[in-house]
């Protein structure tokens, strides 16, 4: 490695002769440092309970009963009493005046006879009883509404004429309230809580994903220069999302239950401390 200084220019080369430092080229320096802390609450997207599935429960397991009446042909043994007209051959003796004695012989005789006993009577009757019947079920989840949201904060204002060439951004972020979805829980965030990290350009704060697929929700913070102002934009974007897991199950004996599910608490709050180095190149 060699070191040369000539005409107020310092040049350093390595053992291969490649220049590793040259003050003759534009050199970066920090013109200003801005510090600011922002607390931002991303809004609720809003949701509606929707039925994911519905169907019938068998009469065997539903626990539902109904009082039903049906016309049926029924036979019953009934105890009755009354006179019966009975005919038959009987040995009868009668006084014969001509012979002056009783004369006996068999005769066919009919008489009304009073008797009691059981007899079968059949006919159509309206028969009523409690019977097991089918029930109804509904499993429900949430449908989160699509939402676009953006809010911008000014982190600081530079002296007029600074005309910076670049920004170096550090931030220390903390998620004080975590957003979540009812079927898969808290939104994913790769931001280490309370640690200083580089945040040049745009940084993804948190996301929510379709199972095995792309994100349906993202929240991003972007630090940029606008005129003499350094700004931070907090941007939220989510498309409509319907739960893939049921979060409520209801049964009824009368009709399909209405859809209901615990709400998705999609709002989250971030507190971020920004440390912005405003840089320029000088020759």
């Amino acid at each position: 490695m060699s070191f040369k200084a000539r005409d107020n220019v310092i040049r350093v080369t390595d053992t291969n002769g490649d220049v590793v430092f040259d003050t003759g080229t534009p050199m970066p320096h920090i013109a200003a440092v801005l510090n600011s802390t922002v607390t931002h609450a991303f809004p609720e997207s809003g949701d509606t309970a929707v039925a994911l599935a519905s169907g019938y429960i068998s009469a065997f397991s539903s626990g539902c009963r109904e009082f039903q009446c049906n016309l049926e042909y029924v036979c019953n043994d009934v105890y009755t009493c009354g006179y019966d007209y009975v005919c038959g051959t009987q040995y009868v003796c009668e006084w014969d005046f001509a012979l002056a004695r009783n004369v006996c012989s068999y005769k066919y005789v009919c008489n009304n006879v009073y008797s009691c006993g059981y007899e079968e009577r059949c006919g159509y009757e309206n028969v009523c009883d409690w019977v097991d019947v089918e029930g109804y079920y509904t499993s429900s989840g949430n449908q989160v509404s699509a939402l676009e949201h953006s809010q911008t904060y000014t982190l600081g204002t530079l002296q007029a004429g600074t005309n910076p060439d670049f920004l170096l951004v550090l931030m220390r972020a903390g998620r004080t309230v975590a957003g979540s979805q009812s079927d898969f829980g808290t939104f994913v965030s790769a931001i280490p809580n309370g640690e200083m990290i580089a945040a040049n350009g745009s940084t993804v704060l948190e996301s929510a994903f379709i199972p095995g697929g792309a994100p349906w929700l993202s929240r991003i913070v972007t630090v940029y220069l606008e005129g003499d102002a350094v700004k931070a934009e907090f941007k939220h974007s989510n498309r409509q999302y319907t739960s893939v897991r049921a979060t409520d199950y209801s049964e009824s004996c009368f009709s399909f239950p209405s859809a209901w599910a615990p709400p998705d608490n999609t709002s989250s709050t971030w507190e971020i401390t920004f440390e912005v180095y405003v840089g320029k190149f000088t020759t």
Side-chain angles (χ1 to χ4, degrees):
M1 182 174 290
S2 65
F3 176 90
K4 293 181 181 180
R6 173 185 266 180
D7 299 328
N8 293 323
V9 174
I10 299 173
R11 172 181 266 190
V12 178
T13 58
D14 61 17
T15 54
N16 296 320
D18 296 326
V19 177
V20 295
F21 184 79
D22 187 351
T23 60
T25 60
M27 299 294 294
H29 77 280
I30 302 303
V33 178
L34 300 176
N35 292 282
S36 181
T37 299
V38 174
T39 299
H40 179 72
F42 289 102
E44 290 281 355
S45 296
D47 53 51
T48 304
V50 293
L52 301 180
S54 59
Y56 298 93
I57 308 168
S58 69
F60 176 76
S61 59
S62 70
C64 299
R65 307 198 78 196
E66 186 176 272
F67 194 72
Q68 294 183 354
C69 295
N70 296 293
L71 195 63
E72 297 181 6
Y73 187 77
V74 178
C75 292
N76 296 302
D77 289 330
V78 180
Y79 186 80
T80 60
C81 294
Y83 286 94
D84 293 323
Y85 190 67
V86 179
C87 296
T89 301
Q90 296 181 5
Y91 189 71
V92 179
C93 294
E94 295 177 336
W95 180 261
D96 189 326
F97 290 95
L99 298 176
R101 61 182 178 86
N102 282 324
V103 176
C104 297
S105 63
Y106 286 96
K107 290 185 177 182
Y108 188 77
V109 179
C110 293
N111 295 295
N112 287 318
V113 179
Y114 186 81
S115 63
C116 295
Y118 286 95
E119 64 178 33
E120 186 180 59
R121 291 183 180 178
C122 298
Y124 285 96
E125 295 182 7
N126 206 24
V127 179
C128 300
D129 198 3
W130 288 98
V131 296
D132 296 331
V133 294
E134 288 183 330
Y136 307 85
Y137 78 86
T138 299
S139 57
S140 306
N142 276 326
Q143 186 175 80
V144 180
S145 303
L147 178 69
E148 298 291 328
H149 160 81
S150 177
Q151 187 168 349
T152 301
Y153 301 86
T154 298
L155 303 182
T157 303
L158 305 174
Q159 288 185 353
T162 301
N163 298 323
D165 297 308
F166 61 88
L167 299 177
L168 296 176
V169 182
L170 299 177
M171 75 176 191
R172 179 179 286 108
R175 184 167 61 172
T176 58
V177 177
S180 64
Q181 58 192 104
S182 57
D183 53 351
F184 288 106
T186 304
F187 295 151
V188 176
S189 176
I191 303 298
N193 189 51
E195 296 184 18
M196 189 69 80
I197 62 172
N200 297 311
S202 297
T203 303
V204 177
L205 296 177
E206 60 187 357
S207 304
F209 294 85
I210 297 171
W216 65 269
L217 175 146
S218 62
R219 286 167 173 163
I220 297 171
V221 61
T222 302
V223 179
Y224 63 96
L225 185 68
E226 186 178 90
D228 292 325
V230 177
K231 297 187 175 183
E233 179 189 24
F234 289 77
K235 187 174 182 180
H236 163 101
S237 178
N238 78 268
R239 60 180 173 174
Q240 187 183 81
Y241 172 78
T242 302
S243 302
V244 296
R245 290 180 178 174
T247 54
D248 181 75
Y249 176 85
S250 301
E251 295 182 357
S252 173
C253 291
F254 308 103
S255 61
F256 291 110
S258 300
W260 182 90
D264 285 328
N265 299 312
T266 55
S267 175
S268 65
T269 302
W270 287 82
E271 183 176 276
I272 302 178
T273 298
F274 294 94
E275 193 172 305
V276 183
Y277 294 87
V278 181
K280 289 181 64 69
F281 290 105
T282 58
T283 56

